[in-house]
């Protein structure tokens, strides 16, 4: 592991003094399959500063998606604590977690996950249905979000009338429309060609740099990971910094890495990722 | 957009499936409405019977006659305002022997006083009273048979002797209409004295039943009891009932059939529910990843359940409304008209009652909701991470 960074010039590096948005301590996750317990994640420690753009890489079955789900409040850890935006989410009930996600997390999925019967603007408006905003205001905010992703001229289009790249940009607009502090992206460029992938990555970078959104992206694509300010590697439940990690990120996670290496045990290859 | 419109928009995700499901619901609702309407129409004679009419018949069965002299006894009874009598003739037009219509020998002076919902022009009535071979026919029957006032009609009786030298030939004196839709408009009425004169001595001076109008409808049952008491000590005992009970006794023999039709109409809706439940479950399975996406965004399990139940309710409502709309041309204008014209004695008036429409719509929506409960519950309970894994 070296200390050199290959971050593109356009990236704004998170300040060393940036507040911590996500704090993970001793987190483990295990599943029981057919009477056998699979330890997918074990003893992970991690701190993610607000406004950073972090890439989470690793082979299939390494627990990337499991970790992403835990940090986004989609699942709860078997052990350890997770604090996001100053709130312990590992002890929240299902209902509390849902409310937490509605307020703090935006999701971008590999397959876009747009609702096919809704237009672009209606898809973007979806998260706002959980707020008490009046209809006109919801629509206004959805229009703004679509403008941010450059799709103001596609508002009335159904997903099937959009290209893959456009669909993913609509999904990004949906992820930011309620102004969450954290955006989690699970293989956001996995289904896209290079040009569309670059456009999506440019957008995510913009969100991190200009809107101070904290972005946590799972990816297999080294080119996509290069856009991140921090690259984390997860393998068999063990977390480490990538060889090209930014020094700031190294400083922020060095303790965690040491703990993770000390505590982690190999997880089953069959474990969910 | 709101949560309800989101549920409604989901209907058009798979248009062919939705249209077919709605069509299946509509046909089930239409069938339910049709069967319930027929049962209602068949039984409505008892339900819409005049409350101030008491029918006196032979105690054993209405097929057996009563002595004509009983009529005067009934007229003398306390509380009876007017009484009339009639015989079932069992006649058919030999030129149209497939056409069935009720033929009655009735008392010319009192019949239309007791059945004042049958309306006849005064000049027609006067003509009938003057003509021993006159007949009054319902407007629906006259239209169906093409009969006009002044036309001669010869009937054959299935009960009484048909004399080739003295056939049952009548002249149409007039045509009656009705003030109530439930009254048969296909009856053929002729004078009882003519009928009586033509019978052999052994069959003379007997009536099929006596119908009285009483002053106080609330006393109808008591008057019936009093009448029967009068005849208890005579050679022929009677059974007097209010008109509703009397009409019901005609239906007693087919009550099992009516009950079966009732049950079948319910079974059809249950089948609809099962079809709808299967369709909903299929849609839910296909959309699990979308529900996972919504849950990830922060939608609660209750929201997911709401989307599924609301979507099913929309299908039930649309299917119900389409079925209701179709019932007008199919039942009121189609089957109903056919039955009124061809089986007027059993189906005097076939019109979809409002309460059947309301019941059909409520059941259509209600059963659709019930059908969606299990898929909705299952979808709302699935873990978000598991639902999202079904994307690929």
């Amino acid at each position: 592991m070296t200390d050199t960074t290959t971050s593109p010039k356009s990236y704004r590096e998170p300040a060393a003094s940036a507040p911590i948005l996500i704090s993970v301590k001793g987190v483990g996750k295990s599943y029981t399959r057919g009477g056998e317990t699979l330890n997918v994640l074990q003893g992970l420690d991690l701190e993610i500063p607000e406004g950073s753009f972090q890439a989470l890489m690793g082979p299939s079955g390494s627990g990337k998606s499991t970790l992403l789900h835990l940090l986004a409040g989609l699942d709860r850890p078997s052990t350890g604590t997770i604090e996001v935006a100053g709130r312990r989410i590992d002890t929240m009930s299902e209902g509390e977690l849902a409310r937490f996600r509605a307020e703090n997390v935006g999701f971008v999925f590999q397959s876009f996950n747009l609702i096919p019967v809704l237009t672009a603007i209606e898809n973007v408006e979806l998260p706002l249905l959980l707020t008490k905003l009046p209809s006109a205001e919801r629509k206004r905010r959805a229009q703004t979000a679509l403008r941010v992703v450059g799709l103001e001229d596609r508002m009335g289009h159904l997903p099937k009338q959009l290209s893959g790249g456009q669909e993913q940009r609509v999904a990004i607009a949906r992820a930011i429309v309620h102004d969450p502090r954290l955006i989690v992206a699970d293989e956001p460029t996995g289904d896209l060609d290079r040009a569309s992938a670059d456009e999506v990555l440019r957008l995510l970078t913009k969100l991190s740099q200009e809107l101070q959104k904290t972005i946590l992206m799972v990816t297999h694509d080294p080119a996509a990971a290069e856009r991140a300010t921090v690259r984390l590697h997860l393998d068999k439940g063990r977390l480490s910094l990538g060889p090209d990690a930014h020094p700031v990120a190294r400083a922020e996670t060095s303790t965690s890495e040491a703990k993770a290496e000390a505590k982690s045990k190999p997880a089953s290859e069959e474990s969910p990722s | 957009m709101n949560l309800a419109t989101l549920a409604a928009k989901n209907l058009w995700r798979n248009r062919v499936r939705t249209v077919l499901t709605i069509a299946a619901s509509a046909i089930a609702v239409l069938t339910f409405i049709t069967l319930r309407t027929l049962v209602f129409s068949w039984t409505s004679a008892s339900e819409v019977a005049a409350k101030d009419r008491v029918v006196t018949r032979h105690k054993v069965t209405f097929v057996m006659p009563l002595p004509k002299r009983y009529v005067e006894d009934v007229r003398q009874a306390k509380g009876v305002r007017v009484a009339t009598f009639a015989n079932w003739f069992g006649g058919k037009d030999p030129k149209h022997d497939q056409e069935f219509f009720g033929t009655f020998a009735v008392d010319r002076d009192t019949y239309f006083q007791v059945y004042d919902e049958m309306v006849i022009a005064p000049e027609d009535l006067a003509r009938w009273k003057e003509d021993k071979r006159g007949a009054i026919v319902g407007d629906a029957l006259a239209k169906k048979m093409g009969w006009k006032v002044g036309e001669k009609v010869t009937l054959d009786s299935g009960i009484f002797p048909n004399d080739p030298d003295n056939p049952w030939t009548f002249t149409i004196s007039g045509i009656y209409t009705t003030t109530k839709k439930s009254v048969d408009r296909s009856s053929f009425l002729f004078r009882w004295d003519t009928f009586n004169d033509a019978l052999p001595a052994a069959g003379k001076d007997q009536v099929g039943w006596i119908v009285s109008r009483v002053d106080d409808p609330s006393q109808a049952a008591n008057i019936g009891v009093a009448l029967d008491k009068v005849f208890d000590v005579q050679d022929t005992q009677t059974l007097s009932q209010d008109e509703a009970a009397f009409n019901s006794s005609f239906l007693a023999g087919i009550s099992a059939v009516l009950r079966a039709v009732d049950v079948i109409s319910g079974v059809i809706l249950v089948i609809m529910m099962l079809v709808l439940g299967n369709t909903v479950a299929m849609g839910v399975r296909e959309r699990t990843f979308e529900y996972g996406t919504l849950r990830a965004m922060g939608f609660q399990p209750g929201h997911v359940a709401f989307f599924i139940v609301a979507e099913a309710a929309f299908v039930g409502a649309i299917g119900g409304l389409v079925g209701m709309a179709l019932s007008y041309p199919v039942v009121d204008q189609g089957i109903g008209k056919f039955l009124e014209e061809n089986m007027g004695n059993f189906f005097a008036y076939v019109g979809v009652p409002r309460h059947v429409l309301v019941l059909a719509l409520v059941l259509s929506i209600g059963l659709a909701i019930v059908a969606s409960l299990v898929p909705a519950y299952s979808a709302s309970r699935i873990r978000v991470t598991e639902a999202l894994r079904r994307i690929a």
Side-chain angles (χ1 to χ4, degrees):
Chain A
M1 201 176 292
T2 67
D3 288 343
T4 56
T5 177
T6 55
S7 299
K9 287 179 185 173
S10 60
Y11 282 91
R12 186 191 65 82
E13 294 163 0
S17 59
I20 300 300
L21 183 73
I22 300 174
S23 175
V24 176
K25 288 179 183 162
V27 159
K29 183 68 181 176
S30 54
Y31 296 96
T32 303
R33 293 277 190 279
E36 190 182 348
T37 300
L38 306 174
N39 296 312
V40 181
L41 299 172
Q42 285 191 63
L44 292 189
D45 292 336
L46 178 66
E47 286 186 339
I48 296 177
E50 184 146 28
S52 64
F53 183 178
Q54 310 230 352
L56 184 57
M57 302 183 76
S60 295
S62 59
K64 302 185 298 294
S65 293
T66 301
L67 178 58
L68 195 76
H69 290 164
L70 292 177
L71 301 185
L74 292 174
D75 204 356
R76 275 170 292 204
S78 306
T79 58
T81 63
I82 301 174
E83 199 174 295
V84 180
R87 297 172 66 188
R88 281 278 300 276
I89 64 170
D90 56 286
T91 56
M92 286 182 178
S93 67
E94 281 294 326
E96 287 171 333
L97 275 177
R99 281 189 288 278
F100 169 81
R101 295 193 299 268
E103 291 166 7
N104 296 287
V105 189
F107 289 88
V108 181
F109 301 97
Q110 178 176 351
S111 304
F112 326 132
N113 292 25
L114 299 179
I115 307 295
V117 290
L118 301 183
T119 61
I121 192 166
E122 288 169 336
N123 265 291
V124 174
E125 192 187 340
L126 271 176
L128 299 179
L129 293 180
L130 297 169
T131 67
K132 291 179 179 172
L133 292 172
S135 175
E137 177 61 16
R138 292 200 304 264
K139 195 171 178 187
R140 192 189 65 76
R141 291 193 185 191
Q143 285 169 339
T144 303
L146 279 169
R147 261 196 295 276
V148 168
V149 300
L151 286 176
E152 59 269 39
D153 58 342
R154 296 285 190 274
M155 291 184 186
H157 287 58
L158 292 169
K160 66 182 177 188
Q161 297 166 322
L162 300 172
S163 69
Q166 289 171 329
E167 282 193 80
Q168 194 60 297
R169 282 151 67 192
V170 172
I172 291 171
R174 182 179 65 184
I176 61 171
V177 72
H178 55 305
D179 196 24
R181 294 173 75 174
L182 172 64
I183 294 172
V184 295
D186 195 353
E187 299 277 9
T189 58
D191 282 2
L192 301 178
D193 58 42
R194 192 68 262 163
S196 299
D198 285 344
E199 177 63 20
V200 164
L201 291 166
R202 188 191 62 75
L203 256 175
L204 291 174
T205 306
K206 180 179 164 186
L207 295 176
S208 169
Q209 288 183 322
E210 296 179 11
L211 301 177
Q212 307 301 305
K213 299 298 177 195
T214 305
I215 298 174
L216 190 54
M217 174 177 72
V218 163
T219 183
H220 279 107
D221 179 6
E226 271 187 19
R227 301 292 191 110
T229 50
V230 178
R231 286 163 285 283
L232 303 168
H233 281 258
L234 194 64
D235 192 7
K236 296 180 180 175
R238 299 171 69 188
L239 191 62
S240 63
L241 281 170
D244 52 355
H246 189 274
V248 174
R250 282 191 59 80
E252 287 165 349
T253 54
S254 58
T255 311
S256 310
E257 181 189 358
K259 285 181 185 174
E261 286 187 347
K263 292 179 183 176
S264 297
K265 292 178 184 174
S268 165
E269 293 294 336
E270 296 172 28
S271 60
S273 59
Chain B
M1 188 173 68
N2 55 42
L3 296 178
T5 55
L6 177 56
K9 280 188 175 241
N10 267 326
L11 283 179
W12 305 113
R13 182 180 298 259
N14 188 329
R15 288 176 191 222
V16 173
R17 184 193 294 168
T18 301
V19 167
L20 290 176
T21 308
I22 288 173
S25 302
I27 291 169
V29 168
L30 177 62
T31 308
F32 174 83
I33 290 173
T34 305
L35 293 177
R36 288 277 165 156
T37 300
L38 294 184
V39 171
F40 178 80
S41 173
W42 208 329
T43 56
S44 64
S46 63
E47 290 174 19
V48 299
K51 291 180 170 55
D52 64 346
R53 279 199 288 252
V54 174
V55 183
T56 301
R57 64 165 173 90
H58 195 287
K59 191 169 187 175
V60 176
T61 168
F62 58 79
V63 175
M64 297 176 74
L66 298 172
K68 164 78 166 44
R69 65 177 187 281
Y70 278 21
V71 176
E72 285 312 312
D73 293 333
V74 170
R75 285 174 177 157
Q76 299 306 317
K78 191 180 173 190
V80 172
R81 188 173 0 129
V82 58
T84 192
F85 52 93
N87 279 74
W88 174 254
F89 179 66
K92 273 188 177 179
D93 180 353
K95 286 187 280 188
H96 303 94
D97 59 357
Q98 296 299 312
E99 303 290 352
F100 177 84
F101 51 92
T103 47
F104 303 91
V106 302
D107 180 38
R108 62 174 175 171
D109 295 322
T110 54
Y111 193 79
F112 289 105
Q113 292 176 33
V114 172
Y115 290 98
D116 57 0
E117 63 268 41
M118 299 167 86
V119 179
I120 180 167
E123 61 273 21
D124 289 354
L125 187 61
R127 192 182 305 119
W128 181 54
K129 287 184 177 179
E130 290 300 315
D131 183 1
K132 277 202 77 171
R133 286 281 178 167
I136 301 289
V137 298
D139 61 333
L141 179 64
K143 184 181 173 192
K144 185 171 75 171
M145 305 298 275
W147 292 338
K148 294 190 168 46
V149 173
E151 191 166 341
K152 287 193 182 305
V153 176
T154 299
L155 301 181
D156 282 348
S157 175
I159 303 170
F160 301 100
N162 297 300
D163 182 356
D165 297 329
N166 185 22
W168 299 101
T169 300
F170 305 96
T171 304
I172 307 289
S173 305
I175 292 169
Y176 73 84
T177 55
T178 63
T179 56
K180 290 182 183 172
K181 287 181 174 177
S182 55
V183 176
D184 178 24
R185 291 158 51 219
S186 296
S187 288
F188 187 103
L189 310 172
F190 61 94
R191 287 170 47 164
W192 185 86
D193 51 345
T194 305
F195 164 75
N196 194 52
D197 289 348
L199 292 178
K204 283 188 191 297
D205 296 328
Q206 297 186 67
V207 298
W209 56 88
I210 302 165
V211 186
S212 340
R213 287 198 91 151
V214 299
D215 293 323
D216 181 358
S218 69
Q219 292 301 310
N222 292 337
I223 290 169
V225 170
L227 286 174
D228 291 341
K229 204 170 271 181
V230 169
F231 301 121
D232 263 355
V233 295
Q234 299 198 29
D235 49 340
T236 302
Q237 284 73 53
T238 59
L239 176 63
S240 298
Q241 301 166 296
D242 60 63
E243 191 174 62
F246 177 73
N247 289 344
S248 294
S249 68
F250 277 104
L251 300 172
I254 56 163
S255 64
V257 175
L258 296 179
R259 185 171 292 271
V261 173
D262 252 359
V263 170
I264 290 168
S265 69
V267 167
I268 285 166
L269 285 188
V270 171
I271 292 171
M272 178 202 96
M273 185 182 82
L274 295 175
V275 170
L276 201 57
N278 184 49
T279 307
V280 171
M282 245 190 315
V284 167
R285 273 196 301 276
E286 290 168 0
R287 282 182 242 161
T288 300
F289 80 96
E290 285 181 23
Y291 297 132
T293 305
L294 291 172
R295 290 289 313 282
M297 283 183 217
F299 283 83
Q300 301 277 359
H303 288 122
V304 171
F306 169 80
F307 291 139
I308 295 165
V309 172
E311 194 179 326
F314 278 129
V315 170
I318 296 172
L321 289 171
V322 172
M324 284 168 66
L326 288 175
S327 72
Y328 181 73
V330 172
V331 182
D332 284 86
Q333 299 299 316
I335 297 171
K337 284 271 184 280
F338 176 81
L339 290 174
E340 285 170 21
E341 288 170 7
N342 295 282
M343 298 178 71
N345 283 91
F346 298 106
F347 299 101
Y349 168 67
V350 183
V352 179
R354 192 167 293 176
H355 77 269
V356 170
L357 288 178
V358 173
L359 180 66
L361 185 61
V362 168
L363 283 175
S364 181
I365 297 172
L367 290 175
I369 289 173
V370 170
S372 67
L373 288 181
V374 171
Y377 179 77
S378 303
S380 68
R381 302 307 300 171
I382 193 167
R383 291 174 63 235
V384 185
T385 50
E386 189 179 331
L388 288 174
R389 266 201 288 274
R390 295 194 192 176
I391 292 169

